[in-house]
Amino acid sequence: MAAAGLEERMGERVVVVGGGVIGLSCAVRLAERGRRVTVVTDREPGETTSVVAGGLIYPRHAEPADRCAGWTAVTVEEFRRLAEVPGTGVRFVPGRLLRRVERPVPAWAAAVGGMTRRSDLGEPWTDALQFTTPLVDTGRYVAWLAQVAAGSGVRIEHRRVRDLGDVGEADLVVNAAGLGARDLVADRAVTPARGQVVHVADPGLPEWVVDEDDFSYVLPHGDHVVCGGTEEHGEESLDPDDATTGDILRRCRALVPALATAEVLDVRVGLRPARPEVRLERAEPDGASPVPVIHCYGHGGVGVTVSWGCADEVAALAG
């Protein structure tokens, strides 16, 4: 009976709603376990919010903190493997997290490992946390991840899903719709958090730097540096703002003077799917969906950071 049950699950048809880094990671894990997976998305992977992300792996202010720390630890270990795979855009890079307000070492410190604390920086910083963590070139990584999904047999359908009864034939649905979950499941706790970043030429920076309380960051990727940032809750415009671009460059050049003459390459805007807590749980069939749904959304700015940990939990919840 157990073998028959496993064989039945191996043939399950799973529809993943959402083609960003969370949706694609879940699709890969489910396909690896023998599911027949279709990703339904209204955008190409390169058009998702995931590719706007700076790609620094740490769970900044993410809740629930204990689960996010666990998901981060799993993701860091997977990125440790992927850093050895050509074309992933994943590297381990040292850096400093500068803090202007006194607070304890975060609970997620063990998830990234090897963290040291310095308190000799002087004003305006109280201390700095130094550690080496994955730094992901999200444009390259999401393109690579989409190829891995396709190679695993995952199908991609490009269309908009307006409700959970509109996914087509499926035995299980994974709701990884990001900001789209606000309308898909009428979750008003999901709100946009607009983020704008500026790409400049990389002058050869050896480390990343984040001023956590000023929300300024400099993330070098070899051929470009992601400079940020903003977090404008409730704002939904995807149009770059020139004044914001100027402010980001001012802050980042003050943080890293070597960027003073770096050429501006691009300006990007994305809408983070903010929520007080990440929602990752399984819901059984009800009036909204005739099949079980695993909800996995509300990751805000930590989608890449927790992606593989969440994907593993989704696969476990699938049975």
Side-chain angles (χ1 to χ4, degrees):
M1 291 295 291
L6 175 60
E7 182 177 337
E8 182 178 340
R9 289 197 301 276
M10 292 286 281
E12 277 187 334
R13 299 164 298 179
V14 181
V15 171
V16 178
V17 182
V21 69
I22 293 293
L24 290 174
S25 301
C26 291
V28 168
R29 282 294 186 253
L30 290 163
E32 288 173 346
R33 287 157 174 75
R35 272 35 176 224
R36 291 181 288 160
V37 183
T38 300
V39 172
V40 181
T41 175
D42 60 353
R43 287 181 288 175
E44 296 288 346
E47 299 172 347
T48 62
T49 299
S50 299
V51 302
V52 181
L56 183 66
I57 302 305
Y58 82 105
R60 183 182 67 91
H61 307 319
E63 296 291 343
D66 56 344
R67 295 179 75 190
C68 286
W71 296 328
T72 299
V74 171
T75 303
V76 167
E77 287 309 305
E78 180 66 2
F79 281 145
R80 201 175 301 281
R81 182 183 72 81
L82 294 180
E84 303 298 322
V85 178
T88 62
V90 178
R91 298 179 301 141
F92 275 72
V93 179
R96 296 173 293 146
L97 181 64
L98 306 173
R99 307 193 299 177
R100 300 181 182 224
V101 178
E102 183 72 36
R103 48 186 177 269
V105 172
W108 49 262
V112 297
M115 181 178 291
T116 59
R117 179 176 177 268
R118 286 183 55 188
S119 56
D120 59 347
L121 279 71
E123 294 292 340
W125 299 291
T126 300
D127 63 7
L129 304 179
Q130 296 186 159
F131 55 99
T132 297
T133 192
L135 183 58
V136 180
D137 182 336
T138 52
R140 291 177 181 168
Y141 177 67
V142 171
W144 173 85
L145 187 57
Q147 291 179 343
V148 170
S152 300
V154 175
R155 294 178 57 246
I156 305 289
E157 283 187 19
H158 291 99
R159 61 184 178 88
R160 188 177 185 84
V161 176
R162 301 193 180 279
D163 61 68
L164 292 175
D166 183 36
V167 299
E169 294 186 358
D171 301 302
L172 175 71
V173 173
V174 176
N175 170 18
L179 186 59
R182 174 179 54 176
D183 298 320
L184 184 63
V185 293
D187 188 343
R188 297 297 109 182
V190 182
T191 58
R194 182 182 184 276
Q196 180 167 317
V197 298
V198 182
H199 288 199
V200 302
D202 190 344
L205 301 181
E207 65 172 10
W208 53 267
V209 182
V210 174
D211 183 340
E212 188 172 52
D213 297 291
D214 190 46
F215 200 56
S216 300
Y217 48 87
V218 174
L219 310 176
H221 290 282
D223 57 356
H224 72 281
V225 178
V226 178
C227 297
T230 68
E231 192 167 44
E232 304 166 82
H233 289 273
E235 294 293 330
E236 301 201 34
S237 172
L238 289 171
D239 296 327
D241 179 77
D242 289 343
T244 300
T245 297
D247 181 61
I248 290 172
L249 289 172
R250 176 191 59 78
R251 286 185 279 134
C252 290
R253 287 168 177 165
L255 204 58
V256 182
L259 296 177
T261 59
E263 178 188 1
V264 175
L265 304 175
D266 196 11
V267 180
R268 299 185 180 184
V269 178
L271 303 179
R272 304 178 185 91
R275 193 174 187 272
E277 289 193 349
V278 175
R279 184 183 183 191
L280 204 173
E281 62 182 0
R282 177 172 172 136
E284 297 307 318
D286 58 18
S289 172
V291 300
V293 178
I294 299 175
H295 296 285
C296 185
Y297 65 86
H299 298 85
V302 301
V304 182
T305 291
V306 300
S307 55
W308 287 113
C310 287
D312 281 357
E313 187 163 328
V314 165
L317 289 172

